Amino acid sequence: MSNLTKTEIKKERRFFLNTILKTGLVAWVASVIYPIARFLVPPKTAELNVNNIDLGLVAEFPKNSSKIVRFGRKPIIVIRKESGDFKALEATCTHLDCNVQFKKETEQIWCACHNGLYDIEGKNISGPPPKPLAQFKVDILREKIIVSKMDLS
Amino acid sequence: MMKKSIWLYSFLIFSLLFGSNLSQEDACIACHVEVDQELDDEDKIVNHFESDIHIKVGLSCADCHGGDPNAFDDEDEAMWENETFIGAIEKSEQLDVCGKCHSDPLFMRRYSTDVKVDQVSQYKTSGHGISLAEGNDKVAVCTDCHNVHGILPVNDPRAPVYAKNIPETCSKCHSDDTRMFESGLPTNQFDEYKNSVHGVALLENGDIGAPACNDCHGSHGATPPYVENVDQICGTCHSNNKNLFQKSHLNDIFLSKGFGQCEACHGNHDVEKPTDEFLGWSSESACKPCHEDSHPAKLMASHFYQTIDSLKIGLIQAHDMVEKAEHKGMIVSELLFDLEDAKKTLIQTRTNIHSFNNAFVDSGAAPGFVSIQAAINGTNVLLDEVIYRRKGLLAFSLIITIFVIAIGLKVKEWKRIRESEEV
Amino acid sequence: MSIYEWMNERIDLDSVKKFALKKRVPIFYGSVWYYLGGVSLFLFMVQVFTGILLILYYQPGAETAYESVKFIISRVEFGWLIREVHSWSANLFILFAFFHMFTVFFAKAYRKPREMTWVTGMILLMLSLGFGFSGYLLPWNELAYFATKVGSDIAGAVPVIGDFALRLLRAGDEVSGATLTRFYGIHTALLPGIFTVVLGIHLILVQVQGMSVPPEIEKIPEEKRKSIPFFPDFALQDAMAWLIVLNLIALLAVFFPWDLGSKADPLASAPAGIKPEWYFMFMFQTLKYIPAHVLFIEGELFGIMLFSIGGLIWFLVPFLDKKANDGIRTPFWTWFGILLIIYMIVLTAWGYLT
């Protein structure tokens, strides 16, 4: 048996309901604002679209060597010739899609799978590859190596 | 003499005046066009010759057959009484007739600098050439492969010696049991080749990087490769496999036993895409035919099989997981990259086993396992995200449900108050 | 002093309050349909809100659109949520708009004095279809590209102005990056502007004229009708409905995300079974199965004429169904509506089952 009168019970219920209502409102508002607030903060990488990549300082890329890196979703091979100039080509062999490699002695590009050979410009010169390797542009900007897509013109 | 010249000149003037084509062609063609009309299609000479590369570069019938191409309407002067006239060329004469030009570098230079002029000398070393020299004219000579009057250059897709057409051209004789009977040579090569990985690649998929008969046997110098040379021939394309094998301990053993290094396990014409069962110790093992169960080869073969199988299974598992994440709505393109890397390592490992060296194979396979793990880790992150989202949804739904009920009760309360006030 | 009192001293908020408190919502068997307009409004607001959030990251342009959407759903925190809510809410918005329109139609609420409300409502429907069509292209994925191509081809089939209309729509002869830019401008600037104005008129009309009731209830004098005040009762009930719909959207966003698919490639051939969005499906399916020639008119043209004339009749129904003004039943129009719904549902279903 409760000591409270009917009105008092009603008052308590009303208070209880008001509390739930207020809490509910706050909770709902928070559950909407939270994702939006997180959304507004930009992620670390500003864009997904890869139009160019930064390969670091020129001085740190040894001459007569090569690196295979990702350009967006494609592998590319970046070569620094003995002369110091850079060359960037797609790394996927045009025959059956193996990754090519750089042969320093002859400054040619070779595919291990079926002995396909390309010259330093990416032109297919012997073996099965039917087409040359696609070219990429290399620029040096403030001592950094920037690889980007070749202009279509 | 004079009389004939007068006839000749008047005929020329006559044809010039009346401007017919005859004056452009030579006498041989002028006459043989008419002869052709009485022949069956396959025997007709002139229309085949029209597409011939020789006439395209300005040569005439007489350059091979001799005779006088300007002796119009005079059969005797054109052919029989002409001292250079050879007529139909016999098989045994072909080498001389074709070689007259094709072995002469100065002559051939008129049409193409640096063109090959070793066809005849190569031919003489070939199986065909040696047999021909012994008096057997049932072998292939120039026209059997290149055609007689409609000779097309090698890179013309209609030529019988164009890469894709070569297997059929060779098998015209080499698959014919009757024709090959005396030689004692087998006739199943084309059948085997057709179903081989090279045959399918060339004939069905149109990949002219794949070898036809001449790429392994030579064209003019066609001969079966010697056992010691097999690896050079396969190694022209499969250089990694060749290099690794030559450095392995099996190379000398195979040679000493007279086994072709590649051929012993992979076959020649019927070379199939090797399966991973070549390794291991099942019935398809390539090692079992020579080695007893007690031989250490069994351990090595089993280890190779294990490594490759683990990579394969890991790849399949990772792929399934990535697909699952994709179905749940996540973007997986970055992970696909890891799977690609792993696949490339798998291919590399299958080549690496030709070293028959455990340490080498293991170090080559290691990056593959790393890539697979990266893909799996990435997928787990995505799947965790999926669970996080669902939990978030649950929390949100709970909040809304409570909130909505609370509002409903509040409305009811106000309604009650209003109704009691209205009374 | 409260903010209200401060503002009331400067602008007459009290009369606004009085006017607002006067609004009542009739309660009868058909009251539940009153929610539909409000839900449509809510969904529109969700669209504007999520749309603005998306614009903060979306990059229009053939080389960047797809990648930016991919970026939003894979890299931006809760980007997937905003995008999925926007996609689902768009579809629900059109669904509820149709639902709202049909309940108004069958209640014949379009009759005098509410003809303008009907007409503005129809304009809003057309605009929302425009929103759907233009927005669909923006991710620049394969399906969107071809759906847009097919859809705009139909615009070209209109006689006389067809080619001009096509070029105007596509910003060129083909669907290209220029089309994307144009659709972006239409979707984020042109249509929102027009929609807001027409929506404002539509809502003001509803506020000023009050809720429509069936003729038998109209006969009862207003004071005697059963009703509840809009503020706070119905407004809170509206809020409840809106929250439930929001929950539904969240559920759909988490469990049924829209596939981004692959990037549009104008040089690739159309994938098999290209379909427009569901709200265009019935028209698409009809055009597909109209015979090549009907009498002397080309099939596609005949279809377009049919839709145009049908649409016009529907638009003008308040002026055609005059008898409804006097509360007389007009079963012809009721059946017209029923048959129309059946036709739309059957052809949409057919389009998806094949």
Side-chain angles (χ1 to χ4, degrees):
Chain A
M1 252 315 266
S2 164
N3 290 340
L4 302 160
T5 62
K6 238 188 181 172
T7 4
E8 275 171 341
I9 294 172
K10 268 208 187 128
K11 253 207 179 131
E12 252 187 45
R13 238 188 258 155
R14 194 184 305 169
F15 179 71
F16 181 64
L17 181 60
N18 284 351
T19 324
I20 301 264
L21 203 58
K22 284 192 200 131
T23 324
L25 180 65
V26 171
W28 179 76
V29 169
S31 69
V32 170
I33 292 201
Y34 174 70
I36 291 170
R38 294 290 301 272
F39 178 84
L40 291 171
V41 176
K44 287 208 182 61
T45 41
E47 292 182 302
L48 194 62
N49 192 27
V50 185
N51 282 319
N52 51 58
I53 53 175
D54 178 349
L55 290 176
L57 294 170
V58 174
E60 287 171 9
F61 199 121
K63 288 195 191 149
N64 210 11
S65 76
S66 72
K67 262 194 230 176
I68 293 199
V69 293
R70 281 190 209 177
F71 189 94
R73 294 200 41 202
K74 291 200 281 235
I76 59 167
I77 182 167
V78 182
I79 300 165
R80 191 170 189 195
K81 303 195 240 188
E82 191 58 57
S83 63
D85 294 332
F86 284 92
K87 190 79 198 162
L89 301 162
E90 70 173 313
T92 309
C93 183
T94 55
H95 179 224
L96 290 177
D97 294 343
C98 294
N99 270 1
V100 300
Q101 22 184 298
F102 177 59
K103 291 221 117 134
K104 358 179 146 186
E105 312 79 42
T106 53
E107 276 204 348
Q108 290 174 323
I109 293 144
W110 176 61
C111 181
C113 288
H114 301 96
N115 220 11
L117 208 57
Y118 303 82
D119 67 12
I120 193 65
E121 299 300 315
K123 175 94 174 59
N124 47 324
I125 49 181
S126 93
K131 330 187 271 225
L133 298 170
Q135 313 248 358
F136 285 79
K137 203 151 74 115
V138 183
D139 294 301
I140 309 294
L141 234 62
R142 292 190 278 267
E143 307 295 315
K144 293 228 183 131
I145 309 161
I146 309 287
V147 179
S148 55
K149 291 196 192 143
M150 201 52 112
D151 294 328
L152 289 174
S153 47
Chain B
M1 262 314 170
M2 245 329 245
K3 202 172 157 203
K4 283 191 180 142
S5 307
I6 290 174
W7 273 113
L8 177 63
Y9 291 131
S10 21
F11 189 83
L12 278 173
I13 294 167
F14 179 83
S15 48
L16 272 170
L17 283 173
F18 286 86
S20 74
N21 281 346
L22 290 175
S23 56
Q24 316 288 10
E25 294 166 3
D26 58 29
C28 322
I29 291 182
C31 229
H32 276 275
V33 159
E34 286 181 32
V35 172
D36 262 1
Q37 281 163 3
E38 288 152 37
L39 295 176
D40 297 326
D41 271 343
E42 55 197 29
D43 296 328
K44 286 197 208 302
I45 298 175
V46 180
N47 33 335
H48 287 151
F49 195 49
E50 274 168 7
S51 56
D52 198 287
I53 178 111
H54 296 102
I55 207 180
K56 289 219 167 95
V57 302
L59 295 168
S60 76
C61 318
D63 289 295
C64 293
H65 292 283
D68 185 353
N70 298 313
F72 288 89
D73 269 347
D74 189 335
E75 213 179 291
D76 290 326
E77 204 180 303
M79 304 193 293
W80 316 118
E81 288 177 13
N82 190 300
E83 35 186 39
T84 60
F85 185 68
I86 312 173
I89 301 171
E90 301 290 328
K91 266 208 178 175
S92 49
E93 291 176 301
Q94 280 191 22
L95 289 181
D96 292 328
V97 172
C98 305
K100 188 180 66 177
C101 297
H102 282 280
S103 298
D104 182 352
L106 279 176
F107 181 82
M108 291 309 291
R109 227 197 338 215
R110 283 196 235 166
Y111 303 101
S112 172
T113 51
D114 268 353
V115 68
K116 288 208 288 211
V117 287
D118 61 352
Q119 295 90 339
V120 173
S121 53
Q122 288 262 5
Y123 179 83
K124 288 187 176 155
T125 69
S126 72
H128 301 130
I130 292 174
S131 201
L132 184 72
E134 288 168 1
N136 177 11
D137 67 350
K138 289 224 202 95
V139 293
V141 202
C142 316
T143 56
D144 292 292
C145 296
H146 289 279
N147 263 349
V148 182
H149 292 113
I151 300 179
L152 297 167
V154 176
N155 53 17
D156 186 325
R158 300 166 294 176
V161 296
Y162 178 69
K164 268 206 266 189
N165 302 331
I166 285 178
E168 224 182 284
T169 304
C170 302
S171 80
K172 246 188 350 204
C173 295
H174 282 276
S175 296
D176 184 341
D177 286 322
T178 331
R179 198 194 280 264
M180 299 306 298
F181 181 70
E182 276 174 36
S183 67
L185 290 173
T187 50
N188 60 350
Q189 300 93 330
F190 183 56
D191 284 335
E192 286 188 340
Y193 173 79
K194 252 193 323 201
N195 299 321
S196 74
V197 63
H198 296 138
V200 168
L202 179 69
L203 300 173
E204 287 178 35
N205 301 340
D207 179 1
I208 48 175
C213 316
N214 61 317
D215 293 294
C216 297
H217 288 282
S219 49
H220 301 106
T223 194
Y226 300 118
V227 165
E228 314 82 71
N229 296 40
V230 165
D231 59 342
Q232 301 294 75
I233 286 167
C234 308
T236 318
C237 294
H238 299 277
S239 58
N240 263 349
N241 308 55
K242 174 194 85 170
N243 288 336
L244 288 173
F245 188 84
Q246 280 179 339
K247 284 193 236 149
S248 80
H249 61 282
L250 288 185
N251 188 52
D252 292 334
I253 298 175
F254 272 42
L255 285 177
S256 67
K257 292 196 194 272
F259 296 158
Q261 294 109 316
C262 315
E263 190 190 356
C265 298
H266 290 284
N268 44 29
H269 300 115
D270 55 350
V271 56
E272 285 176 348
K273 208 162 159 66
T275 66
D276 295 326
E277 304 302 318
F278 266 45
L279 306 161
W281 212 246
S282 67
S283 57
E284 287 172 57
S285 165
C287 319
K288 249 179 147 173
C290 295
H291 291 297
E292 303 271 327
D293 284 359
S294 53
H295 195 277
K298 179 175 177 194
L299 291 169
M300 182 177 271
S302 309
H303 176 72
F304 287 165
Y305 183 74
Q306 265 305 93
T307 312
I308 288 181
D309 206 43
S310 313
L311 274 177
K312 245 194 339 204
I313 290 179
L315 202 52
I316 292 174
Q317 277 177 342
H319 184 86
D320 285 342
M321 284 183 72
V322 168
E323 237 178 42
K324 202 166 77 160
E326 197 176 34
H327 282 153
K328 293 217 159 110
M330 309 305 291
I331 299 279
V332 297
S333 41
E334 296 293 303
L335 298 178
L336 291 176
F337 224 121
D338 290 311
L339 292 182
E340 267 303 310
D341 285 342
K343 205 160 105 181
K344 294 199 165 118
T345 309
L346 178 60
I347 295 174
Q348 182 72 43
T349 308
R350 288 182 176 128
T351 302
N352 283 350
I353 62 108
H354 290 88
S355 66
F356 294 96
N357 180 318
N358 277 328
F360 184 74
V361 170
D362 288 340
S363 65
F369 291 110
V370 170
S371 301
I372 289 174
Q373 195 54 48
I376 292 177
N377 290 346
T379 316
N380 284 333
V381 167
L382 292 178
L383 292 174
D384 283 341
E385 168 73 14
V386 172
I387 294 176
Y388 171 71
R389 290 182 191 183
R390 293 185 184 185
K391 283 198 191 139
L393 176 67
L394 189 64
F396 186 69
S397 307
L398 235 57
I399 292 174
I400 284 204
T401 312
I402 295 174
F403 191 32
V404 167
I405 293 176
I407 295 177
L409 292 173
K410 195 71 185 172
V411 171
K412 262 208 191 130
E413 183 194 295
W414 278 340
K415 206 182 281 197
R416 246 183 296 125
I417 293 175
R418 205 181 38 248
E419 275 162 15
S420 64
E421 278 173 3
E422 278 164 13
V423 165
Chain C
M1 184 188 284
S2 73
I3 299 178
Y4 179 83
E5 284 157 9
W6 188 90
M7 291 195 74
N8 200 23
E9 280 181 354
R10 291 149 178 80
I11 46 177
D12 185 9
L13 286 182
D14 273 341
S15 37
V16 176
K17 188 172 171 194
K18 212 163 132 199
F19 180 68
L21 288 176
K22 265 213 285 196
K23 181 176 161 92
R24 298 189 73 86
V25 179
I27 300 295
F28 63 104
Y29 59 85
S31 292
V32 68
W33 305 124
Y34 284 143
Y35 286 105
L36 293 177
V39 169
S40 305
L41 175 65
F42 171 67
L43 290 169
F44 177 69
M45 295 194 295
V46 168
Q47 285 309 91
V48 173
F49 194 60
T50 52
I52 290 174
L53 288 174
L54 287 173
I55 288 186
L56 297 178
Y57 286 104
Y58 175 73
Q59 297 183 25
E63 290 308 310
T64 47
Y66 178 83
E67 288 78 2
S68 67
V69 175
K70 201 170 189 193
F71 183 68
I72 290 171
I73 54 184
S74 61
R75 291 288 167 81
V76 179
E77 286 285 338
F78 293 104
W80 62 273
L81 182 65
I82 306 295
R83 194 241 169 180
E84 296 310 327
V85 167
H86 194 78
S87 298
W88 271 115
S89 177
N91 284 279
L92 290 178
F93 172 49
I94 294 183
L95 184 72
F96 272 92
F98 269 111
F99 206 177
H100 174 54
M101 176 184 79
F102 278 116
T103 54
V104 164
F105 179 84
F106 288 118
K108 301 198 194 299
Y110 52 71
R111 64 189 190 280
K112 183 174 170 185
R114 292 181 174 81
E115 300 95 324
M116 290 188 288
T117 323
W118 173 262
V119 169
T120 49
M122 282 307 296
I123 295 175
L124 288 173
L125 185 68
M126 294 294 117
L127 292 173
S128 54
L129 292 178
F131 266 118
F133 187 63
S134 57
Y136 197 60
L137 181 65
L138 298 185
W140 198 245
N141 58 3
E142 199 181 28
L143 281 177
Y145 177 82
F146 286 107
T148 307
K149 196 163 181 303
V150 169
S152 50
D153 271 338
I154 295 175
V158 172
V160 185
I161 57 161
D163 282 326
F164 177 70
L166 186 104
R167 290 201 76 241
L168 202 69
L169 198 62
R170 283 184 180 173
D173 293 308
E174 296 296 324
V175 176
S176 67
T179 318
L180 181 61
T181 306
R182 183 160 290 211
F183 275 30
Y184 179 67
I186 290 173
H187 188 81
T188 58
L190 185 65
L191 287 178
I194 302 176
F195 195 95
T196 308
V197 171
V198 180
L199 179 66
I201 298 173
H202 191 79
L203 291 175
I204 289 174
L205 284 169
V206 173
Q207 297 315 308
V208 165
Q209 293 180 323
M211 310 301 289
S212 156
V213 286
E216 59 265 27
I217 302 203
E218 253 181 351
K219 295 196 181 101
I220 307 172
E222 215 174 312
E223 322 79 61
K224 295 238 178 75
R225 286 182 212 161
K226 201 160 169 243
S227 66
I228 58 171
F230 185 81
F231 289 104
D233 296 56
F234 194 78
L236 283 177
Q237 283 167 229
D238 241 348
M240 287 165 69
W242 294 7
L243 286 169
I244 293 172
V245 169
L246 185 65
N247 205 359
L248 174 68
I249 295 174
L251 207 113
L252 292 168
V254 171
F255 282 106
F256 301 102
W258 290 79
D259 194 19
L260 182 58
S262 51
K263 184 172 171 168
D265 180 4
L267 299 173
S269 37
I274 276 295
K275 296 181 159 69
E277 306 103 276
W278 62 269
Y279 36 90
F280 291 125
M281 181 58 96
F282 73 96
M283 287 191 272
F284 178 73
Q285 195 68 3
T286 309
L287 288 174
K288 205 164 149 195
Y289 285 99
I290 281 188
H293 280 90
V294 182
L295 299 178
F296 50 87
I297 314 171
E298 200 206 321
E300 200 176 44
L301 183 60
F302 183 75
I304 293 175
M305 279 166 57
L306 209 71
F307 290 132
S308 308
I309 295 172
L312 198 65
I313 293 176
W314 192 258
F315 219 88
L316 297 174
V317 91
F319 310 99
L320 300 171
D321 184 12
K322 285 273 165 63
K323 287 215 192 112
N325 294 344
D326 305 319
I328 302 170
R329 298 175 135 253
T330 44
F332 169 75
W333 289 105
T334 313
W335 275 107
F336 189 80
I338 292 175
L339 289 173
L340 180 65
I341 291 180
I342 293 175
Y343 158 67
M344 287 166 81
I345 292 178
V346 165
L347 263 101
T348 309
W350 185 15
Y352 278 100
L353 290 174
T354 49

